[in-house]
Amino acid sequence: MISKYLAPVDEVDKVREEHLAFLDGLIQRGKLVIAGRQDPPVGGLVMIEADTEAEARELMADDPYIKQGVAEYTATGFRPSLGRLA
C-alpha cells in the first residue's frame, strides 16, 4: 500500500502515534512486512501480506490516517522474485 498525504505533514504527525500503534497491531497479527515514510515526506509505504487487494484494503481500513482523512492508499501488488524478500 502506497500512501499519499492529503494534509500537511504537521497535521499528519498529529495522528502518527495512533498510526504507528495500528501498524504495531499488524505486526502482532503477522501481516506487516515493512513500513516507512517516503523521503521527502509526501506519503509512505506499508508492505503487508495479503492475498487480494480486497484483503489489503480491509486490513488498512482501520488505519487512523484513513479514519482521520489525512492520507489515502493505493494498492499495488508485488511478488518478490529476487533479493532478501524473495
Side-chain angles (χ1 to χ4, degrees), residues 30-41:
K31 292 294 187 179
L32 183 68
V33 176
I34 195 165
R37 189 175 260 182
Q38 294 178 40
D39 185 15

Side-chain angles (χ1 to χ4, degrees), residues 1 48 52-62 73-75:
M1 304 296 283
I48 54 177
T52 65
E53 181 178 337
E55 180 187 358
R57 291 198 177 280
E58 183 178 322
L59 285 169
M60 297 304 293
D62 288 328
Y73 286 95
T74 300

Side-chain angles (χ1 to χ4, degrees), residues 20 22-36 45-49 59-60:
L20 294 175
F22 165 78
L23 293 178
D24 188 54
L26 291 180
I27 291 170
Q28 300 305 314
R29 294 168 60 189
K31 292 294 187 179
L32 183 68
V33 176
I34 195 165
L45 172 91
V46 179
M47 186 179 290
I48 54 177
E49 290 194 30
L59 285 169
M60 297 304 293

